[in-house]
Amino acid sequence: ADSCPRHINHKMSPPLFIHFLFTDLLPAMDGDTKTMTFLQEVVDILMAYIVESFDRETKVIDFHYPNELLQMNNWELQDEPATLDDILISCRATLKYAIKTAHPRYFNQLSTGLDMVGLAADWLTSTANTNMFTYEVAPVFVLLEYVTLKKMREIIGWPDGRGDGIFSPGGAISNMYAMLLARFKMFPEVKEKGMSSVPRLVAFTSEHSLFHLFVIFQSHFSIKKGAAALGIGTESVICIKVDESGKMIPADLERRILEAKQKGFVPFFVSATAGTTVYGAFDPLIAISDVCKKYNVWMHVDGAWGGSLLMSRRHRWKLDGVDRANSVTWNPHKMMSVPLQCSALLVREEGLMQNCNQMHACYLFQQDKHYDLSYDTGDKALQCGRHVDIFKLWLMWRAKGTIGFEAQIDKCLELSEYLYNKIKDREGYEMVFDGKPQHTNVCFWYLPPGIRYMEDKEERKKHLHKVAPVIKARMMEYGTTMVSYQPQGDKVNFFRMVISNPAATFEDIDFLIEEIERLGQDL
Amino acid sequence: ADSCPRHINHKMSPPLFIHFLFTDLLPAMDGDTKTMTFLQEVVDILMAYIVESFDRETKVIDFHYPNELLQMNNWELQDEPATLDDILISCRATLKYAIKTAHPRYFNQLSTGLDMVGLAADWLTSTANTNMFTYEVAPVFVLLEYVTLKKMREIIGWPDGRGDGIFSPGGAISNMYAMLLARFKMFPEVKEKGMSSVPRLVAFTSEHSLFHLFVIFQSHFSIKKGAAALGIGTESVICIKVDESGKMIPADLERRILEAKQKGFVPFFVSATAGTTVYGAFDPLIAISDVCKKYNVWMHVDGAWGGSLLMSRRHRWKLDGVDRANSVTWNPHKMMSVPLQCSALLVREEGLMQNCNQMHACYLFQQDKHYDLSYDTGDKALQCGRHVDIFKLWLMWRAKGTIGFEAQIDKCLELSEYLYNKIKDREGYEMVFDGKPQHTNVCFWYLPPGIRYMEDKEERKKHLHKVAPVIKARMMEYGTTMVSYQPQGDKVNFFRMVISNPAATFEDIDFLIEEIERLGQDL
């Protein structure tokens, strides 16, 4: 179609843009050509950035401190319009200082990498510029959400993929939806009458439960935020003990449920985690479901990070029992590398979301519309408008097939096993917990030679605590790679390596280890 | 830069894609060229769609009923990968049946139109593929959010633009944030102890308050949804009377606050609306702020729809008193035509969001990071990861300047005044309320000749109720234009015209009226 070679690296925009303004673009009369030329210029900038991002010779980040960065460009907003040339310059400047999240050595988050089909789909989504409220304004996207949610429920194992669900702005909101549903299911009057009409409710989650996207000292984060928002209160979130590898202990769950009941509280929600943020641990879902069933408590599975392992025949046993859950959070924007944001809440009971979130039983939501209203999803959402997050997942699924996602996930797990095997007995490394990681999380300390044989344990610990932050700061200053670190409980700062980046290879894992040693040996 | 003419209308993808799969794209070895060719193909499809969308000769929608649409393409997800050729076909099919939201005659929503600079910015955002949690992962975007929120607060009129704020996934979530803050400000213990620790709280909003994005019979929608979620309960949302033009009556607000206090309830939140969804009414903010001050109640202004009028020197008086608010919702994705989603919550008090939403006072959020942590915004958000919604607004602001947004907004208001003047005395039209619209909302009934002189008022009303739905269905089937309708209170279905589409002209308004008459005259 296009026989002209494109020079993706040209950095200069055509001089004509110096004189052009946004008013020259569509909907301006005869704005077609200028619009296409302008958009093509932007696309050329983006293409150059993409190709560069995958190149290991480029930096992951050109890091500057906030005050420096504020001065590196004129970021202020003005009364007067800028030229389109200035707009192109702003685009280049923005990308120059951005993190290259597609870079094969970017490991900093649970969401890494950049999928080309997903990106194309996101560009299309922006161009379609609509929202998910009704079939009327998003006919195709609403159908694709329907098709995809059904497929995900089939993979969870619910009969014929029946149930309900929604794509939400992220794992924390998906978990909040689940909590809302659980509360409404037990006490429907809470919707009208509020929390003062119900007994004191308590929710349960593991000490290690997922904190979305970032790892912090304080765990059980999104469940607590949800409880605070919902008027349940963070004190009513009870943290259940975990074993050494970070899995919830079902016996402790049962003990704490009984304890709460004895105090006259009402246990209404258990959030089991499939893939904790730090350890990548999978709670034992079957045993937890037995406890939930026994005490008639809603079982939620927070699979924001680990849910994607359901796509892998080799690894899905780690979520055995997930089909017993009442609701499941599953974020394709993490392990499946769908562009941000893409988070699904799947619900086993049909109709409940609608009843919980719609604002009237005798609702007059334009019943006189001329098409089947069951496709209008606005009623079951907490939000009113909803961003279109479905198309990128759907198009990627189409391009890869289920087996393509499976291969991608299996490869990441293989890489993390490689990393684990490489460092577990290597001099200067200590693992944070024993045993092969369940997910792609590998948690470890690097001990520089100088502190490797320190006798004073406390002194050693104090030193070790400072190692990871310094190495990380150096990584960012050199821009060679990024990996996260954090303390946890009484454990001082350790590296938490995660692999969700489909661009990563065995060589990149080797590089990471060499880089940690290069940057940390003098500490 | 590009000397090759691009044939934007070519519908065929290069035959080579028939044999290519996603595995041929980056991060594949030597995937650069294929990736760029593939992305360029997608961009060509998008460009053709864009140019077509602005063409009045094309349909706004190629409408099909859900069951038909399900059969018009193979939308199912498979185990096996599809070829890239199939991916391009799916992109074309998706756009073929999409609503052309950029079309100059698309008036269906509060969010219409497609801004070319905003689109370019959204493409860049997708390519950068990161989130707003910390400076570490989104250095530029975090700074731009800081710069833009400050500018918006200056426009609101808070001294030196001081205060706080956040971009959230939409107006309903922004309003929910405001409610959370108001509750926390009055009763900080609610965060830990939940609603059972506080007296019964009540919130107030007008009968007509904003329902985001869509118009429904049931009003005060997002505030009620928020109250249900937050454990306050919908019964604790008290609806204040409005005058004929839809503005809240401050005396009724005061009466209902006193009534609530007499019952022992605690008024904690008043949501005044700046631009109701149906009537476009602006509540009298100064009078409302006096009441709020007198009774020490948090004053929120829901300016999701009308907040943008602050950019217009001619129209900003409609929000006089907004600077007295404690918080303001303002959605640039509505009247400013920023691509979806882009909603801001602005907060007058500094530090409150952080205290309300962070999960620990002695929080260990990696205090050993090597840069200024005040730019890490994750702590003040309810969500954990947050989509990057800032860049499109920032880049558009840069391209237009404040005066460019002003001109765009003024023009939409001028068009609505033109519509109002055109139909207010025209045969066959009745206005839903008297007087010039305050926003771009024009609410009217079209009476086909057959019912214009019906004597039996009830019979006439029954007929009239069916007119708008039938005309709307015909509009969609012909695909010529789209405008929304709804009943309200005891008023039967009427058209609610809104203009936020920068592509609309006087001729498009003329067309709308002609089209309503053409499609409705036989009813």
Side-chain angles (χ1 to χ4, degrees):
Chain A
D2 187 353
S3 55
C4 328
R6 322 209 99 255
H7 301 287
I8 57 136
N9 280 316
H10 70 264
K11 300 277 182 201
M12 300 299 295
S13 52
L16 81 171
F17 280 122
I18 292 173
H19 305 291
F20 285 153
L21 295 174
F22 77 99
T23 44
D24 292 301
L25 304 176
L26 284 170
M29 285 278 286
D30 303 321
D32 294 14
T33 310
K34 282 174 202 155
T35 299
M36 282 194 290
T37 312
F38 168 73
L39 288 177
Q40 187 63 52
E41 282 299 313
V42 174
V43 167
D44 288 351
I45 292 169
L46 300 181
M47 295 244 209
Y49 179 79
I50 291 165
V51 170
E52 204 186 306
S53 294
F54 283 97
D55 179 359
R56 290 177 176 76
E57 300 300 309
T58 61
K59 287 178 166 191
V60 175
I61 180 173
D62 180 5
F63 180 78
H64 298 275
Y65 291 91
N67 286 337
E68 281 172 20
L69 186 52
L70 269 172
Q71 276 150 36
M72 300 195 95
N73 196 36
N74 171 16
W75 308 105
E76 290 300 317
L77 296 167
Q78 313 288 342
D79 288 345
E80 302 294 322
T83 64
L84 292 183
D85 194 50
D86 181 77
I87 294 304
L88 296 173
I89 291 168
S90 292
C91 288
R92 286 194 203 95
T94 300
L95 290 175
K96 177 167 164 45
Y97 303 113
I99 303 276
K100 294 200 176 61
T101 54
H103 197 288
R105 290 170 182 166
Y106 178 69
F107 302 112
N108 206 59
Q109 312 297 131
L110 301 181
S111 307
T112 57
L114 184 63
D115 187 274
M116 291 301 114
V117 174
L119 179 64
D122 217 19
W123 288 357
L124 186 147
T125 301
S126 303
T127 310
N129 193 32
T130 192
N131 83 68
M132 295 296 288
F133 200 77
T134 57
Y135 181 81
E136 182 173 314
V137 298
V140 183
F141 300 132
V142 163
L143 287 188
L144 297 184
E145 185 172 78
Y146 178 85
V147 165
T148 309
L149 286 171
K150 183 162 186 290
K151 185 84 180 176
M152 292 172 90
R153 290 189 302 261
E154 282 169 11
I155 289 172
I156 285 172
W158 290 332
D160 300 324
R162 277 200 304 274
D164 207 338
I166 201 165
F167 281 83
S168 94
I173 304 283
S174 291
N175 287 343
M176 203 169 92
Y177 265 112
M179 231 188 240
L180 262 175
L181 290 171
R183 181 174 72 177
F184 176 76
K185 174 76 179 169
M186 195 172 269
F187 298 103
E189 64 271 31
V190 77
K191 182 172 160 181
E192 282 87 32
K193 302 198 180 297
M195 287 295 289
S196 55
S197 68
V198 302
R200 177 154 164 206
L201 304 179
V202 281
F204 304 83
T205 191
S206 89
E207 292 170 347
H208 279 205
S209 67
L210 186 62
F211 163 71
H212 292 292
L213 293 176
F214 281 71
V215 173
I216 51 165
F217 177 70
Q218 182 66 18
S219 233
H220 40 255
F221 186 90
S222 79
I223 301 300
K224 283 211 169 185
K225 279 207 174 186
L230 269 48
I232 291 163
T234 54
E235 286 179 4
S236 296
V237 178
I238 295 173
C239 289
I240 306 302
K241 284 195 186 132
V242 297
D243 66 18
E244 272 188 9
S245 63
K247 294 170 189 290
M248 186 192 281
I249 300 170
D252 192 56
L253 173 64
E254 181 160 18
R255 188 177 68 79
R256 301 302 298 267
I257 287 177
L258 284 170
E259 204 175 86
K261 286 168 83 83
Q262 274 157 13
K263 289 183 189 157
F265 304 157
V266 177
F268 83 109
F269 185 77
V270 171
S271 180
T273 312
T276 57
T277 309
V278 183
Y279 284 16
F282 288 79
D283 288 344
L285 302 184
I286 292 176
I288 291 170
S289 78
D290 288 341
V291 177
C292 289
K293 202 173 169 191
K294 185 167 171 190
Y295 298 98
N296 193 27
V297 183
W298 182 283
M299 176 181 173
H300 174 64
V301 172
D302 182 350
W305 171 226
S308 301
L309 267 56
L310 289 168
M311 308 285 277
S312 161
R313 281 164 289 189
R314 196 182 306 162
H315 296 285
R316 70 164 286 147
W317 62 269
K318 295 168 186 172
L319 289 103
D320 275 355
V322 67
D323 56 313
R324 303 188 187 184
N326 297 92
S327 55
V328 178
T329 293
W330 172 356
N331 288 9
H333 71 214
K334 293 192 176 25
M335 195 63 191
M336 285 157 78
S337 267
V338 176
L340 289 157
Q341 57 192 41
C342 191
S343 168
L345 177 75
L346 293 312
V347 181
R348 195 170 59 191
E349 183 175 329
E350 281 176 88
L352 190 65
M353 292 192 82
Q354 182 91 3
N355 290 336
C356 176
N357 293 319
Q358 78 179 6
M359 277 298 110
H360 241 241
C362 57
Y363 204 62
L364 246 184
F365 191 67
Q366 305 203 303
Q367 300 294 343
D368 40 20
K369 274 190 185 174
H370 61 126
Y371 61 84
D372 177 3
L373 293 180
S374 65
Y375 289 97
D376 286 359
T377 64
D379 242 15
K380 65 185 181 190
L382 189 58
Q383 309 145 258
C384 298
R386 228 173 8 108
H387 189 255
V388 177
D389 297 329
I390 184 62
F391 190 63
K392 48 203 173 191
L393 171 58
W394 181 83
L395 199 69
M396 281 174 68
W397 205 320
R398 189 131 183 135
K400 293 174 198 285
T402 310
I403 61 167
F405 273 126
E406 177 182 47
Q408 179 178 320
I409 290 161
D410 285 354
K411 186 191 146 208
C412 288
L413 279 137
E414 206 184 321
L415 287 175
S416 78
E417 197 174 330
Y418 174 78
L419 171 63
Y420 170 75
N421 285 330
K422 184 173 175 123
I423 61 174
K424 73 176 184 325
D425 302 316
R426 189 181 178 97
E427 177 163 11
Y429 290 82
E430 275 179 32
M431 305 310 290
V432 173
F433 61 93
D434 289 334
K436 211 169 78 174
Q438 294 275 290
H439 205 315
T440 69
N441 308 48
V442 181
C443 297
F444 62 91
W445 287 282
Y446 168 68
L447 291 82
I451 66 167
R452 236 167 256 177
Y453 308 103
M454 271 189 188
E455 304 249 316
D456 183 334
K457 290 260 158 137
E458 277 311 302
E459 192 66 14
R460 183 172 178 269
K461 216 169 155 178
K462 233 175 87 184
H463 269 85
L464 187 55
H465 189 55
K466 292 178 192 155
V467 169
V470 173
I471 293 176
K472 171 68 176 278
R474 290 177 178 178
M475 281 176 176
M476 287 180 73
E477 275 155 27
Y478 285 100
T480 45
T481 183
M482 278 173 77
V483 55
S484 77
Y485 70 87
Q486 71 288 306
Q488 170 138 321
D490 58 355
K491 296 183 166 76
V492 299
N493 278 320
F494 54 85
F495 285 111
R496 182 219 52 176
M497 176 67 175
V498 278
I499 304 162
S500 61
N501 193 336
T505 62
F506 293 105
E507 288 72 27
D508 296 312
I509 303 298
D510 292 339
F511 175 85
L512 176 79
I513 292 305
E514 285 159 25
E515 190 66 359
I516 286 175
E517 294 174 3
R518 182 178 79 88
L519 298 173
Q521 63 181 351
D522 66 320
L523 296 175
Chain B
D2 187 353
S3 56
C4 329
R6 322 209 101 255
H7 302 286
I8 57 138
N9 281 316
H10 72 264
K11 302 279 183 199
M12 299 299 295
S13 52
L16 80 171
F17 281 122
I18 292 173
H19 306 291
F20 285 152
L21 295 174
F22 76 100
T23 43
D24 293 302
L25 303 177
L26 285 169
M29 285 279 285
D30 303 319
D32 294 12
T33 310
K34 280 174 202 155
T35 298
M36 282 194 290
T37 311
F38 168 72
L39 289 176
Q40 187 62 50
E41 282 299 313
V42 173
V43 167
D44 288 351
I45 291 170
L46 300 180
M47 295 246 210
Y49 178 78
I50 291 164
V51 169
E52 203 185 307
S53 293
F54 282 96
D55 180 359
R56 289 177 176 77
E57 300 301 309
T58 60
K59 287 178 167 191
V60 176
I61 179 173
D62 179 5
F63 181 79
H64 298 276
Y65 291 91
N67 285 336
E68 281 171 21
L69 187 52
L70 269 172
Q71 275 150 37
M72 301 195 92
N73 196 38
N74 172 16
W75 308 106
E76 291 300 317
L77 295 166
Q78 313 289 342
D79 287 345
E80 302 293 324
T83 64
L84 293 182
D85 194 49
D86 181 76
I87 293 304
L88 295 173
I89 291 168
S90 292
C91 288
R92 286 195 202 93
T94 300
L95 290 174
K96 177 167 164 44
Y97 303 113
I99 303 275
K100 295 199 174 64
T101 54
H103 197 287
R105 290 171 183 166
Y106 178 69
F107 302 112
N108 207 61
Q109 311 297 131
L110 302 181
S111 309
T112 57
L114 184 63
D115 186 274
M116 290 301 113
V117 174
L119 178 65
D122 218 19
W123 287 358
L124 185 148
T125 302
S126 303
T127 309
N129 194 33
T130 190
N131 83 68
M132 295 295 288
F133 200 77
T134 55
Y135 181 83
E136 181 173 316
V137 298
V140 184
F141 299 132
V142 163
L143 288 189
L144 297 183
E145 185 173 77
Y146 177 86
V147 165
T148 309
L149 287 171
K150 184 163 185 292
K151 185 85 179 173
M152 293 172 90
R153 289 190 303 259
E154 283 168 11
I155 289 172
I156 285 172
W158 290 332
D160 302 325
R162 279 200 302 274
D164 208 338
I166 201 166
F167 282 83
S168 94
I173 305 281
S174 291
N175 287 343
M176 203 168 93
Y177 264 112
M179 230 188 244
L180 262 175
L181 290 172
R183 180 173 73 178
F184 177 75
K185 172 77 180 169
M186 194 172 270
F187 299 104
E189 63 270 32
V190 77
K191 182 173 162 182
E192 282 87 33
K193 301 196 179 298
M195 288 293 290
S196 56
S197 68
V198 302
R200 179 155 162 207
L201 304 180
V202 280
F204 304 84
T205 192
S206 90
E207 291 170 350
H208 279 202
S209 66
L210 186 64
F211 165 70
H212 293 290
L213 292 177
F214 281 72
V215 173
I216 52 163
F217 178 70
Q218 183 66 20
S219 234
H220 38 257
F221 187 89
S222 79
I223 302 299
K224 284 210 171 186
K225 279 205 173 186
L230 269 47
I232 291 163
T234 55
E235 286 178 5
S236 295
V237 178
I238 295 173
C239 289
I240 306 302
K241 283 196 189 131
V242 297
D243 67 17
E244 274 188 11
S245 64
K247 293 170 190 292
M248 185 192 282
I249 299 169
D252 193 56
L253 173 64
E254 181 159 18
R255 190 178 67 79
R256 301 302 300 269
I257 286 178
L258 284 169
E259 204 175 88
K261 286 169 83 83
Q262 274 155 15
K263 288 183 189 156
F265 304 158
V266 177
F268 83 109
F269 185 76
V270 171
S271 179
T273 312
T276 57
T277 308
V278 184
Y279 284 17
F282 288 79
D283 289 344
L285 302 184
I286 291 176
I288 291 170
S289 78
D290 288 341
V291 177
C292 289
K293 203 173 168 190
K294 186 168 170 188
Y295 297 98
N296 194 26
V297 183
W298 182 283
M299 176 180 173
H300 175 63
V301 173
D302 181 351
W305 172 225
S308 302
L309 267 56
L310 289 168
M311 308 284 278
S312 162
R313 281 164 290 188
R314 197 183 304 163
H315 296 287
R316 69 164 286 148
W317 62 269
K318 295 167 187 174
L319 290 102
D320 276 355
V322 67
D323 55 313
R324 303 188 187 184
N326 297 93
S327 55
V328 178
T329 292
W330 173 355
N331 288 9
H333 71 215
K334 294 192 179 13
M335 195 64 192
M336 286 157 76
S337 267
V338 177
L340 289 156
Q341 58 192 41
C342 189
S343 168
L345 177 75
L346 293 313
V347 181
R348 197 170 57 192
E349 183 175 330
E350 283 175 87
L352 191 65
M353 293 192 81
Q354 182 91 3
N355 289 336
C356 176
N357 293 319
Q358 78 179 5
M359 277 299 111
H360 242 242
C362 57
Y363 203 62
L364 246 184
F365 190 68
Q366 304 203 304
Q367 299 295 342
D368 41 20
K369 273 191 186 174
H370 61 123
Y371 62 83
D372 177 2
L373 293 180
S374 65
Y375 289 96
D376 285 0
T377 65
D379 242 16
K380 64 185 182 189
L382 190 57
Q383 309 145 258
C384 297
R386 228 175 5 109
H387 189 255
V388 178
D389 296 330
I390 185 60
F391 190 63
K392 49 203 172 190
L393 171 59
W394 181 83
L395 200 69
M396 281 173 69
W397 204 320
R398 190 136 182 128
K400 292 175 199 285
T402 310
I403 61 167
F405 273 126
E406 177 182 47
Q408 179 178 321
I409 289 161
D410 285 355
K411 187 191 146 206
C412 287
L413 279 137
E414 206 185 321
L415 287 176
S416 79
E417 199 175 329
Y418 173 79
L419 171 62
Y420 170 74
N421 287 329
K422 185 173 173 122
I423 60 174
K424 73 175 182 326
D425 302 317
R426 188 183 179 96
E427 176 162 13
Y429 290 82
E430 276 179 33
M431 305 310 291
V432 173
F433 62 93
D434 288 334
K436 212 169 78 173
Q438 295 275 289
H439 206 315
T440 69
N441 307 49
V442 182
C443 297
F444 63 91
W445 287 283
Y446 167 68
L447 290 81
I451 66 167
R452 239 168 254 177
Y453 309 103
M454 270 188 187
E455 303 249 315
D456 184 334
K457 290 259 157 136
E458 277 311 302
E459 192 65 12
R460 183 171 176 270
K461 217 170 154 176
K462 233 175 88 185
H463 269 85
L464 188 55
H465 189 56
K466 292 177 192 156
V467 170
V470 173
I471 293 176
K472 171 68 175 278
R474 289 177 179 177
M475 280 176 176
M476 288 181 73
E477 275 154 27
Y478 285 101
T480 46
T481 183
M482 278 173 77
V483 55
S484 78
Y485 70 87
Q486 71 288 308
Q488 170 137 320
D490 58 355
K491 297 183 165 74
V492 298
N493 278 320
F494 54 86
F495 285 111
R496 183 220 50 179
M497 176 68 177
V498 279
I499 304 162
S500 62
N501 193 335
T505 62
F506 293 104
E507 288 72 27
D508 295 313
I509 303 297
D510 292 338
F511 176 84
L512 176 79
I513 292 303
E514 284 159 27
E515 190 66 359
I516 285 175
E517 293 174 4
R518 181 177 79 87
L519 298 173
Q521 62 180 351
D522 65 319
L523 297 174

